[in-house]
Amino acid sequence: MTGYVCKYTPVEIIRAFDEEVYRIEPKIKSVEGVMSLTHPNMCSFMKGNYFIS
């Protein structure tokens, strides 16, 4: 199983390798929470998906 966060993940390619895919959608309510769970070099778009106000 492969988990992903970014909506631009090429899911069809992952499925072509007979892998299950699962979209991870955490419910974090603060920017500090996002920053504590992600690496500074990770995609800012992905970090924005984590943040839910």
Side-chain angles (χ1 to χ4, degrees):
M1 175 174 280
T2 302
Y4 69 97
V5 176
C6 181
K7 70 178 183 178
Y8 296 117
T9 301
V11 179
E12 294 80 13
I13 294 174
I14 298 169
R15 286 187 183 137
F17 288 99
D18 292 328
E19 281 288 322
E20 283 185 54
V21 291
Y22 178 76
R23 178 143 188 209
I24 301 168
E25 296 187 43
K27 307 286 187 234
I28 298 174
K29 296 187 184 263
S30 72
V31 175
E32 292 80 20
V34 173
M35 295 303 176
S36 70
L37 293 173
T38 59
H39 191 274
N41 290 337
M42 291 184 88
C43 171
S44 59
F45 182 80
M46 182 276 309
K47 288 181 183 183
N49 282 338
Y50 267 111
F51 185 69
I52 299 172
S53 55

